[in-house]
Amino acid sequence: MISSELLACAISHNINQALNEDIGTGDITACLIPEHEQARAVVITREDMVLAGQPWVNALFEQLDPAVKLNWLHAEGAQLKANEAFLELEGNARSLLTGERPALNFIQTLSAVATKVAEYVVLLDGLHTKLLDTRKTLPGLRIAQKYAVAIGGGQNHRIGLFDAFLIKENHIMAAGGIAQAIAAAHQIAPGKPVEVEVETFDELDQALTAGADIVMLDNFSNQQMTDAVKHVAGRCKLEASGNIGKHNLREVAQTGVDYISMGALTKDVKAIDLSMRLVK
């Protein structure tokens, strides 16, 4: 789960970077407009979406021009239809136009993640399996995208390399085995979740014996996952990963695994089509 401190830090970093890379030494096009000209604008979506990213837009205009007034017509996480307005802005015309692109960039990207996640979560309706994200995120937008996953109804896996162990094949080989890796993890950071990726039932048993909290079943068949759920019988949580998409998500969940993790939730998103227009 993303802490409030980590979220605030990420938003501040994202906003600074977005404004610096876009404005640089100054918005020369905005200077075409009289300095004190006032304007109103409305932002609409051109396609169905789940709204996400309000904290970034709020922070952006607070930094760019605190006098700009934002009126959100829908709450964060709202399901919007194509051509529906969701934000009204009022203030200095230069400020509105300078902030337009970086603001829409955040909304179009985070809403795309939330929308995709919501579409997948619906497929798990009635099942206990939870949908997880991964570390396969856009550079610099890790926290933002994981925030959007939660808005869409998914759950966050570990935030990074610091808050949980995920012991994979290379870690196991370098550590000398599954038992050795798990034992070392418990010594290095007691209390941190320890997850191990396994490819066979023998490795699954090794992870269970060594006290793994979660076992990731890497590219197991559906039948193998069903058998693994029965075999584990609640002794640890099981996560499915690899070659999972819309076409087979529910089928995989029906094996009884606790989690399904998907990198596609954050790395393969297509931005939502948005539009901002000045109005009288």
Side-chain angles (χ1 to χ4, degrees):
M1 183 177 179
I2 303 171
S3 69
S4 58
E5 294 80 8
L6 188 57
L7 183 61
C9 182
I11 291 173
S12 177
H13 175 76
N14 292 156
I15 296 308
N16 286 331
Q17 184 179 35
L19 292 177
N20 287 337
E21 70 184 7
D22 207 29
I23 298 174
T25 57
D27 182 353
I28 58 176
T29 310
C31 290
L32 299 173
I33 303 166
E35 183 178 1
H36 300 293
E37 182 77 14
Q38 297 294 297
R40 294 176 57 244
V42 62
V43 183
I44 67 172
T45 176
R46 298 297 187 187
E47 53 189 304
D48 294 355
M49 75 172 198
V50 174
L51 177 59
Q54 290 185 5
W56 278 260
V57 176
N58 291 339
L60 186 147
F61 279 103
E62 179 64 28
Q63 182 165 326
L64 180 64
D65 183 353
V68 171
K69 297 178 181 178
L70 305 181
N71 177 31
W72 292 98
L73 304 177
H74 295 277
E76 190 84 325
Q79 294 266 1
L80 305 183
K81 295 295 184 182
N83 299 314
E84 193 167 357
F86 61 87
L87 173 61
E88 295 175 340
L89 306 95
E90 184 175 356
N92 181 272
R94 287 187 180 185
S95 298
L96 296 186
L97 295 176
T98 297
E100 173 186 0
R101 179 40 52 198
L104 295 191
N105 282 348
F106 285 117
I107 293 290
Q108 71 185 22
T109 302
L110 302 192
S111 294
V113 172
T115 301
K116 186 169 191 174
V117 171
E119 292 173 354
Y120 281 67
V121 168
V122 167
L123 299 176
L124 299 177
D125 188 45
L127 303 176
H128 87 280
T129 306
K130 305 301 181 184
L131 187 63
L132 301 179
D133 54 24
T134 71
R135 287 169 50 240
K136 296 177 181 178
T137 52
L138 300 179
L141 290 176
R142 167 72 56 80
I143 302 303
Q145 286 194 289
K146 283 182 172 285
Y147 164 91
V149 166
I151 292 297
Q155 293 189 4
N156 299 142
H157 208 293
R158 58 179 181 163
I159 302 301
L161 298 174
F162 55 88
D163 57 334
F165 291 94
L166 179 46
I167 302 169
K168 296 193 173 187
E169 181 180 9
N170 287 333
H171 299 104
I172 293 169
M173 182 177 296
I178 290 176
Q180 293 90 328
I182 293 176
H186 287 149
Q187 288 183 340
I188 292 168
K192 295 284 189 182
V194 178
E195 180 172 358
V196 182
E197 181 183 62
V198 304
E199 298 178 352
T200 66
F201 273 87
D202 178 59
E203 291 179 347
L204 171 58
D205 279 332
Q206 291 179 51
L208 280 171
T209 300
D213 299 302
I214 307 172
V215 174
M216 178 188 291
L217 307 175
D218 185 39
N219 289 308
F220 273 43
S221 69
N222 288 350
Q223 185 57 57
Q224 288 174 321
M225 284 188 277
T226 299
D227 293 342
V229 169
K230 293 178 181 177
H231 179 68
V232 168
R235 287 178 288 170
C236 73
K237 299 292 187 181
L238 291 177
E239 176 184 333
S241 179
N243 298 315
I244 302 173
K246 257 187 177 180
H247 66 288
N248 65 344
L249 180 64
R250 187 170 181 84
E251 186 179 350
V252 171
Q254 288 173 331
T255 66
V257 293
D258 300 285
Y259 306 112
I260 294 175
S261 59
M262 299 181 65
L265 299 179
T266 50
K267 73 183 182 71
D268 294 336
V269 294
K270 179 180 180 297
I272 300 293
D273 185 10
L274 305 176
S275 177
M276 188 181 97
R277 290 288 182 268
L278 296 186
V279 295
K280 293 183 178 181

